[in-house]
């Protein structure tokens, strides 16, 4: 039986009436995204029509999921909310703090030794506040959620940007910062600007070497890393219904890489099959009763131009396998064009590693199709030319693929099976030891979702390309980036030319899923007696002190901390990898603040001018000097600032160190919200070209902060070192409540004040 079945039944009981009322108010048929949004309003029954991309709306998500790296800060904040238990079903998943190095057993053992303090903290907090706990080795949060918690028509939020993976099971699942999660866990409304809608009509059917991953790689090519910002992407058409549920999850997962609020698919038979295969026939039975409400009204898919703000059409029958990269997930190259592209860009053709798995592609179907290629290595007398690794998505998947012989197949080609965890996908990969920063220029291919510089192995010279598990496996066998398995042959040990057969696999295990210990630990019925301890001298955990409000007078004479040049993701602002060990200690993790951002004035990282001394130094050290002197600072950035992970550390760290405002050409959605939640000013240039006015020695005066109000730009006086001045108008998207967050010092401060 499913977790939280009574909650799901209650949601399903409410959906028909609320959707019917919304349809009446809107005066037309509804898309799936609209049905889910209007059926999850905080006030219950819809009473008005909301404007897409303009109106802020209060929602009531059904559940919350947290991964261990972000859960630390989220739960440290929740402990200040004054609540005895969480208000909605909530889970914590230990998947980020397990470093890949040797193999699953040794790596998991080492993680339990080095991070036991954090795991014990998370388990005790979960036990105290009624939170389900998934222990280290249980699996990657998004695969575990898909297998156990996701349900068609539901709404969930999670403290990880790839929470959107659950859209593969017909949810509206949205990645958020920890402060947003705290709101919902504390029984409060969750606020979101009503999204715009992008429709993707999939015609034809996948076959051969083309996989669901290629759909989202193509969408990334079309939309770029910011084209989905502020929108929900809804997939439909014959190509969508012909695809597996986990394939749909892959597509939704990487919707985060185009900036989408989330992605989703309408309920269909593949979801029914998946629910039943994962032991949730009760959910499938309930979903069938209201099936028309769990997909769009037929008119919306028949005439999508009238219902979506943007329409994309992709013919799966002609779609080619893609590799996206390097250094950005939207640089798409069809495999037939890779030889030419690699030559033009001087990309190293020799592939050092092929890595499959991660939250994006670690389903039974993914692994079985990759295993069908691995089996051909022996059958065709080949040798795998690149190192090859597999990261299973959950203990249930790992146990089942071991039972079915796939792990043996991988072992026979010399592969390494890592723990059921994020591992290399988030930089938790000890590939180079302490020498990552000076590693050689090299190429890797993986089935993960992101490929920013240094993302996987810490080496800025690693060129990472994203592809399907099938294509990654084939390229690892060949050892060349330009290998096209559709047309190219390989030379086997007998000197014969052989060609790889098309991958084959199973949507679901023919003998069903199996597992001995899935890794779930239920909380106590009454956790009031549970004591949560944090040692005062801990390097890993630190209790939080509330942020003091940023005073208007401190916004005069501000200094420039850094003017970031080009792409500045949350990885640049707060790196993962080895820094993950400090995610529960704000002051320690603050020592990596913006060390990956490129300084526009010298094109170097972690090398900025201290205006107090005239000397250059690291960004955190320079900012600590300003903080000690009582001087607030400003960060300036380019387009899509803060893209990538949902980590709120990228907002909390600058806030902790004394940064008051971030002024950029445009924001990624989650990061903008995180800045607001922490009581900072998240601003955009009214004139993008004003970015060029900012000089290294500038000071800044916010002239009208006392009249901070919705839809009213702020005026910033820029004083240059030569005495000349410029005036910059800064736009913002704050509403009245968000301005209160700023006035009170943070959203959490406002919660505490209202609950006092």
């Amino acid at each position: 039986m499913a977790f939280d079945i009574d909650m799901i039944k209650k949601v399903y009981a409410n959906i028909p009436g609320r959707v019917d009322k919304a349809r009446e108010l809107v005066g037309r048929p509804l898309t799936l995204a609209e049905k889910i949004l209007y059926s999850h309003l905080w006030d219950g029954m819809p009473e008005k029509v909301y404007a897409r991309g303009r109106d802020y709306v209060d929602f009531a998500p059904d559940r919350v999921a947290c991964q261990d790296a972000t859960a630390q800060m989220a739960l440290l904040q929740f402990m200040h909310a004054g609540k005895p238990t969480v208000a909605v079903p909530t889970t914590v998943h230990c998947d980020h703090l397990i470093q890949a190095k040797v193999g699953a057993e040794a790596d998991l053992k080492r993680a339990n030794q080095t991070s036991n303090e954090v795991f014990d903290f998370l388990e005790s907090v979960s036990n105290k506040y009624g939170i389900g706990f998934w222990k280290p080795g249980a699996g990657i949060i998004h695969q575990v959620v898909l297998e156990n918690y996701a349900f068609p028509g539901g709404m969930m939020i999670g403290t990880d940007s790839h929470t959107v993976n659950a859209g593969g099971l017909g949810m509206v699942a949205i990645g958020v910062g920890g402060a947003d999660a705290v709101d919902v866990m504390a029984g409060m409304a969750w606020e979101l600007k009503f999204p715009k809608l992008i429709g993707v009509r999939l015609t034809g059917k996948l076959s051969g070497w083309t996989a669901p991953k290629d759909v989202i790689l193509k969408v990334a090519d079309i939309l770029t890393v910011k084209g989905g910002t502020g929108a929900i992407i809804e997939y439909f058409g014959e190509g969508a219904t012909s695809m597996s549920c986990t394939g749909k999850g892959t597509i939704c997962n990487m919707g985060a890489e185009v900036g989408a609020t989330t992605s989703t698919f309408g309920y269909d038979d593949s979801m029914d099959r998946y629910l039943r295969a994962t032991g949730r026939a009760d959910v499938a039975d309930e979903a069938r009763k209201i099936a028309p409400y769990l997909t769009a009204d037929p008119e919306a898919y028949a005439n999508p131009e009238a219902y979506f703000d943007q329409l994309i059409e992709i013919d799966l029958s002609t779609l080619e396998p893609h590799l996206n990269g390097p250094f950005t997930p939207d640089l798409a190259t069809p495999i037939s064009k890779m030889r030419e592209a690699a030559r033009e860009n001087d990309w190293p053709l020799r592939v050092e590693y092929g890595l499959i798995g991660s939250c994006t592609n670690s389903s039974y179907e993914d692994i079985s199709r990759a295993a069908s290629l691995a089996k051909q290595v022996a059958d065709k007398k080949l040798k795998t030319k690149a190192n090859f690794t597999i990261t299973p998505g959950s203990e249930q998947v790992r146990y089942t693929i071991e039972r079915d012989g796939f792990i043996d197949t991988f072992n026979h080609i010399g592969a390494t099976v890592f723990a059921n965890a994020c591992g290399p996908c988030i930089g938790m990969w000890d590939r180079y030891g302490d020498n990552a920063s000076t590693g050689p220029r090299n190429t890797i291919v993986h089935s993960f979702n992101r490929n920013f510089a240094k993302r996987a192995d810490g080496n800025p010279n690693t060129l990472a390309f994203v592809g399907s598990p099938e294509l990654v496996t084939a390229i690892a066998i060949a050892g060349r980036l330009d290998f096209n398995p559709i047309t190219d042959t390989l030379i086997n040990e007998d000197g014969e030319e052989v060609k790889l057969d098309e991958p084959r696999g199973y949507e679901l295990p023919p003998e069903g899923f199996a597992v001995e210990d899935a890794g779930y630990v239920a909380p106590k019925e009454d956790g009031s007696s549970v004591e949560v301890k944090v040692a005062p001298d801990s390097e890993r955990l630190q209790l939080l002190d509330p942020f003091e409000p940023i005073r208007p007078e401190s916004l005069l004479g501000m200094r420039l901390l850094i003017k970031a040049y080009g792409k500045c993701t949350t990885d640049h602002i707060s790196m993962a990898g080895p820094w993950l060990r400090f995610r529960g200690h704000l002051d320690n993790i603050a020592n990596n603040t913006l060390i990956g951002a490129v300084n526009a004035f010298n094109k170097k990282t972690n090398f900025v001018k201290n205006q107090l001394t005239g000397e250059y130094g690291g960004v955190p050290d320079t900012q600590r000097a300003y903080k000690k002197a009582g001087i607030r600072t400003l960060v300036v950035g380019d387009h899509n600032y803060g893209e990538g992970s949902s980590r709120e550390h990228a907002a909390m760290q600058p806030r902790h160190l004394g940064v008051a405002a971030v002024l950029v050409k445009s924001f990624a959605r989650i990061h903008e919200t995180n800045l607001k939640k922490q009581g900072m000013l998240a601003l955009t240039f009214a004139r993008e070209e004003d970015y060029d006015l900012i000089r290294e020695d500038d000071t800044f005066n916010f002239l009208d902060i006392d009249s901070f109000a919705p839809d009213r730009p702020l005026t910033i006086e820029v004083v240059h070192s030569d005495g000349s001045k410029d005036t910059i108008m800064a736009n913002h998207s704050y509403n009245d409540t968000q301005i209160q967050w700023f006035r009170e010092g943070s959203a959490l401060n406002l919660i505490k004040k209202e609950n006092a």
Side-chain angles (χ1 to χ4, degrees):
M1 190 177 83
F3 287 94
D4 310 308
I5 187 62
D6 290 337
M7 176 270 285
I8 295 171
K9 288 180 177 179
K10 182 179 178 181
V11 171
Y12 282 176
N14 288 330
I15 284 178
R18 294 179 180 182
V19 169
D20 289 344
K21 181 63 176 179
R23 192 186 293 111
E24 176 187 326
L25 289 169
V26 174
R28 57 165 174 77
L30 300 176
T31 65
L32 170 62
E34 289 173 310
K35 289 182 179 183
I36 298 176
L37 293 170
Y38 276 108
S39 64
H40 283 84
L41 298 175
W42 178 254
D43 292 329
M45 192 64 69
E47 296 180 353
K48 60 173 288 190
V49 177
Y50 295 101
R52 298 177 189 171
R54 191 177 72 205
D55 290 343
Y56 281 96
V57 183
D58 286 340
F59 290 102
D62 302 314
R63 68 177 312 110
V64 176
C66 308
Q67 42 94 337
D68 50 356
T70 53
Q72 296 170 65
M73 203 59 71
L75 294 179
L76 285 165
Q77 292 177 84
F78 180 75
M79 290 166 64
H80 285 274
K83 301 291 184 179
T85 186
V86 291
V88 302
T90 302
T91 51
V92 167
H93 305 257
C94 295
D95 61 359
H96 273 56
L97 299 179
I98 304 168
Q99 186 183 53
K101 184 176 182 178
V102 179
E105 185 176 351
D107 294 346
L108 183 58
K109 181 179 180 181
R110 187 174 66 256
N112 277 315
Q113 293 170 343
T114 58
S115 295
N116 65 306
E117 179 186 10
V118 174
F119 296 146
D120 289 348
F121 166 76
L122 293 174
E123 185 171 3
S124 65
V125 176
S126 297
N127 213 9
K128 184 174 184 65
Y129 295 107
I131 298 169
F133 180 75
W134 290 81
K135 61 189 180 183
I140 305 171
I141 176 173
H142 312 303
Q143 181 69 27
V144 174
V145 165
L146 197 71
E147 292 176 3
N148 295 278
Y149 298 112
F151 65 97
M155 173 185 278
M156 69 173 287
I157 61 171
T159 61
D160 189 283
S161 56
H162 293 109
T163 299
V164 295
N165 188 81
L169 203 37
M171 292 194 88
V172 161
I174 301 175
V176 299
D180 274 357
V182 170
D183 284 353
V184 177
M185 291 159 65
M188 300 176 64
W190 173 63
E191 181 186 70
L192 177 73
K193 185 179 286 187
F194 203 85
K196 294 183 179 180
L197 302 179
I198 298 174
V200 180
R201 177 158 52 194
L202 302 178
T203 59
K205 188 176 181 180
L206 293 172
S207 62
W209 285 93
T210 310
K213 185 65 160 279
D214 297 304
V215 176
I216 187 58
L217 296 179
K218 182 62 179 177
V219 170
D221 177 42
I222 296 168
L223 288 177
T224 77
V225 291
K226 62 180 181 179
T229 303
I232 291 178
I233 302 176
E234 185 170 330
Y235 294 84
F236 63 95
E238 60 178 334
T241 55
S242 67
M243 199 179 296
S244 70
C245 178
T246 52
K248 293 177 173 73
T250 292
I251 293 170
C252 292
N253 181 290
M254 268 195 73
E257 275 52 73
V258 299
T261 300
T262 192
S263 306
T264 195
F265 286 76
Y267 181 64
D268 62 19
D269 289 343
S270 73
M271 298 183 191
D272 183 272
R273 292 192 297 272
Y274 187 75
L275 285 169
R276 296 182 190 280
T278 51
R280 292 174 288 170
D282 45 357
V283 178
D285 291 341
E286 295 298 321
R288 278 188 172 182
K289 295 175 184 177
I290 60 165
Y293 290 93
L294 302 179
T295 189
D297 290 331
E299 298 89 339
Y301 290 164
N303 185 27
E305 294 87 350
Y307 297 89
F308 294 95
D309 299 293
Q310 180 180 352
L311 180 64
I312 296 170
E313 300 202 38
I314 298 175
D315 180 1
L316 302 186
S317 298
T318 59
L319 181 65
E320 191 176 341
H322 280 62
L323 283 176
N324 285 26
F327 304 126
T328 185
D330 59 350
L331 179 59
T333 305
I335 193 61
S336 65
K337 306 292 184 183
M338 179 52 76
R339 186 163 294 141
E340 178 183 352
R343 184 173 60 248
E344 290 178 356
N345 292 283
D346 192 30
W347 295 333
L349 288 178
R350 180 169 177 258
V351 173
E352 303 279 350
Y353 269 90
L355 306 98
I356 66 170
S358 88
C359 65
T360 318
N361 279 112
S362 56
S363 67
Y364 186 90
E365 180 179 39
D366 290 327
I367 301 299
S368 67
R369 284 172 62 84
S372 76
L373 297 171
K375 186 176 183 297
Q376 295 180 48
V377 173
D379 293 349
K380 296 178 183 289
K381 299 183 179 180
L382 293 165
K383 284 190 176 180
T384 305
K385 298 294 180 60
N387 296 296
F388 189 60
T389 73
I390 302 97
T391 306
S394 69
E395 175 58 15
Q396 178 167 264
V397 166
R398 189 213 62 80
Y399 187 93
T400 306
I401 64 172
E402 182 178 50
R403 179 202 66 190
D404 293 349
F406 298 152
I407 288 183
D408 281 343
T409 298
F410 290 128
N411 286 337
H412 286 151
I413 68 168
T416 300
V417 179
F418 287 139
N420 313 320
C422 300
C425 182
I426 60 164
M428 287 295 279
W429 180 23
D430 189 6
R431 181 183 178 190
Y432 291 106
D434 296 330
N435 302 312
S437 62
T438 57
R441 192 166 186 261
N442 74 104
T443 293
I444 66 174
V445 292
H446 61 60
S447 68
F448 309 158
N449 40 49
R450 293 192 178 130
N451 57 350
F452 306 138
K454 301 191 279 189
R455 169 80 179 183
D457 60 8
N459 179 4
N461 300 309
T462 293
L463 284 69
F465 294 83
V466 182
S468 69
E470 300 92 320
L471 187 58
V472 169
T473 304
I475 289 175
I477 293 169
R480 288 183 59 88
L481 182 66
D482 60 351
F483 176 68
N484 182 353
I486 300 173
T487 58
D488 295 350
T489 57
L490 298 169
I491 304 298
N492 71 6
E493 292 177 322
D494 295 337
E496 302 168 331
E497 281 194 11
V498 296
K499 191 175 180 183
L500 292 175
D501 300 328
E502 292 179 352
R504 300 186 182 279
Y506 302 94
E507 175 184 354
L508 296 163
E511 297 181 28
F513 284 107
V515 67
E516 287 186 351
D517 178 9
Y520 176 70
V521 180
K524 283 188 172 184
E525 287 289 331
D526 179 4
S528 58
S529 63
V530 176
E531 185 177 2
V532 178
K533 294 182 179 180
V534 175
D537 60 347
S538 172
E539 292 185 350
R540 301 291 299 271
L541 298 165
Q542 180 187 42
L543 295 175
L544 296 175
D545 293 321
F547 287 133
E548 293 291 330
I550 295 171
R551 302 185 311 278
E553 59 268 24
S554 71
L555 299 178
L556 300 173
M558 296 172 63
R559 305 301 173 94
L560 176 70
L561 175 59
I562 186 171
K563 178 180 177 180
Y565 172 79
K567 186 185 286 286
C568 191
T569 72
T570 50
D571 281 73
H572 294 84
I573 304 167
S574 175
M575 286 187 179
W579 286 97
L580 285 173
R581 67 184 183 274
F582 296 128
R583 282 282 180 87
H585 196 295
L586 183 55
D587 195 55
N588 283 345
I589 191 70
N591 288 324
N592 81 357
T593 303
L594 286 158
I595 63 175
V598 177
N599 184 350
F601 300 109
N602 56 28
K603 302 303 186 290
K604 295 181 179 180
T605 59
N606 201 29
F607 198 67
V608 296
K609 187 174 184 179
N610 181 335
Q611 293 188 38
L612 303 180
T613 65
E615 298 176 352
Y616 285 82
V619 179
D621 291 340
T622 301
Q623 179 55 41
R624 287 187 187 276
Y626 288 134
K627 182 178 181 179
K628 185 176 181 180
I631 297 172
R632 292 286 186 182
T633 58
L634 174 77
V635 170
V636 173
D638 212 315
H639 275 299
N640 209 29
Y641 182 88
E643 72 170 279
S645 163
S646 69
R647 67 192 69 153
E648 64 182 335
H649 299 76
M652 294 185 76
Q653 292 171 214
R655 176 71 161 101
H656 170 70
L657 293 178
V659 177
V662 180
L663 175 64
V664 300
K665 293 180 182 178
S666 65
F667 280 108
R669 175 191 63 85
I670 300 175
H671 186 62
E672 181 182 19
T673 300
N674 287 343
L675 291 169
K676 292 178 179 181
K677 286 276 186 177
Q678 301 306 330
M680 297 176 71
L681 292 171
L683 310 171
T684 56
F685 290 101
R687 297 173 66 251
E688 286 186 12
E689 54 267 34
D690 285 350
Y691 171 92
D692 298 321
L693 297 177
I694 307 298
R695 304 177 193 173
E696 193 169 30
D697 293 304
D698 286 346
T699 59
F700 304 87
N701 299 312
F702 281 66
L703 302 182
D704 50 5
I705 191 65
D706 287 330
S707 56
F708 189 20
D711 302 317
R712 180 174 178 173
L714 291 173
T715 307
I716 305 174
E717 180 184 63
V718 185
V719 183
H720 305 299
S721 58
D722 62 5
S724 62
K725 299 179 180 179
D726 283 302
T727 299
I728 289 176
M729 300 307 297
N731 293 334
H732 65 83
S733 60
Y734 286 74
N735 59 26
D736 287 323
T737 299
Q738 294 168 345
I739 290 173
Q740 278 298 106
W741 298 343
F742 174 74
R743 300 287 189 211
E744 295 294 334
S746 71
L748 184 58
N749 288 355
L750 186 60
I751 292 175
K752 291 174 64 178
K753 182 177 181 179
E754 292 174 346
N755 289 335

